[in-house]
Amino acid sequence: MAPQIQAIELARYRGFRDAQRPELLRLNLVYGENNAGKSALVRVPALLAASRTPGRLGLDLGEPVRRAGFQEVRWRGPLPDDADSDLVLGVGLSDGSAWRWTFRWLNSRAVSTIQRIELSTPDERVDFERVDLAAQDPRDAEYVGPQGPQRLVFDGLIPRTGAGDLMDRHRDGLAGALDGVIWLQATRQAPTREGTSLGAQGVLTGSGEGAAARVASDAKLRSAVSAWFLTHAQCRVDVEFLGTDRQRLVLEPVGAPSYAVPFPDSGEGLQQVFPLVVALEHLRRDGGLLCVEEPESHLHPRLQRGLVALIVDVLRAQPAASVLLETHSEVFLIAALAAAVGALPAAVRLYWVEAGKDGAATIEDVPLDPEGRPTTPRLEQAFDTMGVMRRELIQARRAGAQESRSRGG
């Protein structure tokens, strides 16, 4: 089994000016106000996982960053005069290794490059720093490492064999950890009305595209996904054939097996949750890290609770799996706290992301005590809005009643 991602490192990335290193447990929930940096954090593993194009050095700025340019991804606010402006990303893995990449913008070539790559383990450490910044092609770069000058070749972020014994021993572990990353954005794509070609396997993307083809072609996966829908939405997931070469997924309400509803005609909540249920069942089978934005999208609290139950069940069944969620849901918070003292003891972590007055975001760990209670009031304050609104409603009712009595008197 490949190593798991157990820490994320970032600096001068998006709204995170200062170095941050959140550590991950099995179930990790990220809370915060809008535009604080939650999604940027959750997308880091997906960005690294996508940046492995053979022969192409550096970051692949695709869907996880909305195809932004490097200058848009790097921190754009002011820095102290002596502060480093390079973008830094990294991961810590369960095999004890920690990888860190420093990315620099080359104004002369209008491209970014890997300025520095570092790998450390509990017993060893190695780093390479680029020295020929004026090279005509940023991929044709010379680095200085433990043995002096050396030309490195990268497949995205991963150095090819020949970068030294330590990196050669750990590069497959890094590749395996990144292979296990699944990312789903907040707006997800449901199975289409037109369906998919017979035999299509599908690749699960950030939008959820590919989930339908996987379920249609895999009876075991379809049975697992259908079981969740049957329990929580009172309908089965089945395949409907469209001619001789296409098929699509439909929902069959319980008690009406002859009545099938194409997914686009079902409720928005069921459409949005479908790729997530598929991703969780994939996680149950293969392990890895699932990163999800707003899993509660369009879901009634009852189905939110059912979704959390599935997440906890998957994590209990698959020790090589972990989940990183960005959410505004109080249902998820309560369920996570319950899991911390029940099904997942010492395996739940809460984070609060906040942007300061200067625009720089920070990631604050919200520790839990042995009974699963947050030891700081941060999340209690975050969900105080409903309490404030209830008090305002009570005051408005009292004022209205007083006014009515005054007029009647």
Side-chain angles (χ1 to χ4, degrees):
M1 188 70 71
Q4 295 174 261
I5 296 176
Q6 293 188 333
I8 301 170
E9 185 172 354
L10 56 158
R12 271 85 62 193
Y13 164 73
R14 290 296 200 187
F16 297 98
R17 179 190 62 199
D18 305 320
Q20 311 284 320
R21 195 178 189 276
E23 297 185 353
L24 305 182
L25 296 177
R26 304 293 309 289
L27 177 58
N28 310 273
L29 279 69
V30 181
Y31 286 89
E33 299 284 348
N34 291 118
N35 201 40
K38 303 183 301 300
S39 295
L41 168 61
V42 169
R43 293 175 186 178
V44 169
L47 173 59
L48 298 179
S51 300
R52 293 180 291 159
T53 304
R56 178 178 178 179
L57 176 147
L59 290 171
D60 186 342
L61 300 176
E63 288 305 317
V65 292
R66 299 286 192 266
R67 303 193 180 280
F70 181 83
Q71 296 283 56
E72 297 168 311
V73 171
R74 186 174 64 171
W75 164 258
R76 288 182 279 177
L79 288 165
D81 292 339
D82 59 346
D84 188 354
S85 64
D86 292 338
L87 187 158
V88 176
L89 294 174
V91 290
L93 305 182
S94 59
D95 64 0
S97 65
W99 294 79
R100 180 188 296 120
W101 298 267
T102 301
F103 304 93
R104 178 168 296 178
W105 179 254
L106 304 179
N107 281 318
S108 61
R109 303 291 299 164
V111 295
S112 63
T113 189
I114 297 177
Q115 173 61 24
R116 187 183 185 98
I117 180 172
E118 304 164 72
L119 169 61
S120 61
T121 68
D123 302 315
E124 301 174 86
R125 183 181 181 280
V126 65
D127 68 88
F128 291 89
E129 179 138 11
R130 180 171 172 164
V131 291
D132 57 341
L133 298 181
Q136 289 297 308
D137 188 336
R139 295 170 296 182
D140 183 24
E142 189 173 84
Y143 289 77
V144 171
Q147 307 302 320
Q150 183 174 348
R151 198 163 297 277
L152 299 183
V153 179
F154 289 84
D155 292 328
L157 303 178
I158 301 180
R160 290 186 181 175
T161 302
D165 178 65
L166 186 63
M167 286 193 176
D168 287 351
R169 281 189 280 119
H170 286 275
R171 65 186 303 277
D172 287 344
L174 172 62
L178 296 179
D179 278 339
V181 173
I182 304 173
W183 164 62
L184 290 174
Q185 61 193 31
T187 303
R188 299 176 281 274
Q189 179 177 312
T192 63
R193 191 181 304 279
E194 297 75 21
T196 58
S197 300
L198 288 176
Q201 299 300 306
V203 176
L204 190 59
T205 67
S207 67
E209 184 180 0
R214 283 195 175 192
V215 171
S217 63
D218 187 333
K220 187 175 181 180
L221 176 61
R222 184 165 65 252
S223 176
V225 172
S226 183
W228 187 89
F229 275 80
L230 183 61
T231 299
H232 300 285
Q234 292 74 54
C235 56
R236 301 179 183 87
V237 178
D238 207 349
V239 174
E240 182 177 78
F241 292 96
L242 304 175
T244 60
D245 61 348
R246 296 190 70 80
Q247 58 188 348
R248 68 180 178 185
L249 294 180
V250 294
L251 294 173
E252 290 186 351
V254 175
S258 62
Y259 176 50
V261 179
F263 259 92
D265 297 328
S266 67
E268 188 67 27
L270 297 189
Q271 295 183 48
Q272 291 295 307
V273 79
F274 172 80
L276 183 46
V277 175
V278 175
L280 284 165
E281 291 300 339
H282 175 85
L283 198 70
R284 185 196 300 273
R285 185 188 66 191
D286 295 341
L289 172 63
L290 173 60
C291 307
V292 185
E293 301 169 34
E294 297 188 24
E296 72 273 16
S297 180
H298 292 276
L299 285 184
H300 185 277
R302 183 178 62 80
L303 264 69
Q304 291 185 39
R305 184 179 184 182
L307 181 57
V308 177
L310 176 61
I311 292 171
V312 172
D313 184 59
V314 168
L315 293 177
R316 291 184 65 188
Q318 175 53 271
S322 54
V323 174
L324 175 61
L325 305 176
E326 175 258 310
T327 177
H328 296 280
S329 170
E330 192 169 5
V331 172
F332 272 77
L333 172 61
I334 295 172
L337 297 179
V341 294
L344 299 172
V348 176
R349 176 151 279 162
L350 306 179
Y351 283 108
W352 177 263
V353 179
E354 184 170 52
K357 293 181 178 179
D358 57 359
T362 56
I363 304 169
E364 177 186 339
D365 182 17
V366 182
L368 302 179
D369 67 16
E371 296 182 353
R373 289 188 293 256
T375 58
T376 73
R378 173 62 80 181
L379 291 178
E380 190 175 304
Q381 295 167 0
F383 289 106
D384 189 46
T385 301
M386 292 301 294
V388 171
M389 293 178 68
R390 290 189 186 99
R391 290 192 292 272
E392 291 175 346
L393 175 59
I394 291 171
Q395 292 171 359
R397 285 172 173 167
R398 288 174 177 172
Q402 180 64 39
E403 184 177 350
S404 296
R405 287 194 295 269
S406 298
R407 287 199 301 268

